[in-house]
Amino acid sequence: VTYKGNSDYALIAGNAVNVSGIVNNDSFIFGNVITFDENFKSTRDLFIFGSTVTLKGEITRDVTIFAATVVVENAKVSGNVTVYGSTIDVRNTEVERKISYNDDAQITIDDASIINTKETYKSDNVQISTTDLILDNIVSYVSTLIVFVALALLLPGMFKKIENKNLQDDKLQRWM
């Protein structure tokens, strides 16, 4: 998906998403590989959900990125940048407020970048045991099976009643 335009809001989704142009209000971008070019401009908040994100351009408010690999280069962000990811690379970028990232991320910020404040937060890694995972899946499958059995028992009876009602209506129509 390639976006090159000027719009008030943006909701863009695709496997490979290329973004250029201007978005005047909030933007939500979903994809596997998401690339913004230097001509991109957002005047409000930007939310990005992907696997690999390359952010360039100018954002006048906050940016929130959920991705495994994030590259922010040749960008100017007037607000905050919040990244939930494992690998973060910041090159030749200006962040006027702060950049926040999880404490277990591998981050590289080059000397050409100007970051007002850097902040890390503790990521919550929830450990789920194999037994709990298996039990959750079994409960989910059994619940789905119960719903399908109930539908299989109820629907044929309902269709039979509807069919009988239609047959009666057809008989009455023939006599009129």
Side-chain angles (χ1 to χ4, degrees):
V1 175
T2 299
Y3 172 81
K4 294 180 182 179
N6 186 346
S7 64
D8 284 335
Y9 293 91
L11 176 59
I12 303 168
N15 183 39
V17 179
N18 299 305
V19 183
S20 182
I22 300 170
V23 179
N24 295 313
N25 289 309
D26 296 337
S27 304
F28 297 89
I29 315 297
F30 302 89
N32 184 27
V33 178
I34 303 170
T35 305
F36 295 82
D37 74 9
E38 291 88 4
N39 298 321
F40 175 73
K41 183 175 181 181
S42 175
T43 59
R44 291 275 304 262
D45 295 337
L46 176 62
F47 300 92
I48 307 167
F49 304 86
S51 178
T52 303
V53 173
T54 302
L55 178 63
K56 300 177 184 179
E58 182 181 349
I59 298 93
T60 58
R61 295 259 308 249
D62 297 338
V63 179
T64 304
I65 304 170
F66 297 87
T69 304
V70 177
V71 177
V72 182
E73 71 178 322
N74 301 323
K76 181 176 192 260
V77 181
S78 299
N80 297 316
V81 176
T82 305
V83 180
Y84 301 89
S86 56
T87 305
I88 305 163
D89 190 9
V90 181
R91 304 179 206 142
N92 195 31
T93 294
E94 181 181 351
V95 178
E96 291 182 9
R97 293 182 69 195
K98 73 177 173 184
I99 183 168
S100 303
Y101 51 91
N102 42 307
D103 61 352
D104 58 349
Q106 295 176 339
I107 184 162
T108 305
I109 301 175
D110 71 359
D111 294 335
S113 295
I114 302 168
I115 312 292
N116 187 21
T117 306
K118 298 173 199 165
E119 176 181 270
T120 60
Y121 56 85
K122 178 132 179 75
S123 59
D124 296 328
N125 292 329
V126 178
Q127 298 290 333
I128 299 175
S129 70
T130 305
T131 306
D132 288 341
L133 187 60
I134 291 171
L135 287 175
D136 284 346
N137 283 326
I138 289 172
V139 168
S140 176
Y141 290 133
V142 169
S143 300
T144 303
L145 180 64
I146 289 170
V147 168
F148 281 120
V149 167
L151 289 173
L153 293 174
L154 294 175
L155 287 180
M158 290 174 46
F159 285 130
K160 191 67 174 169
K161 287 181 182 179
I162 292 170
E163 183 180 358
N164 289 337
K165 175 74 171 135
N166 286 339
L167 287 173
Q168 288 176 356
D169 289 346
D170 284 345
K171 289 179 184 177
L172 287 175
Q173 288 293 331
R174 289 185 205 165
W175 291 103
M176 293 184 168

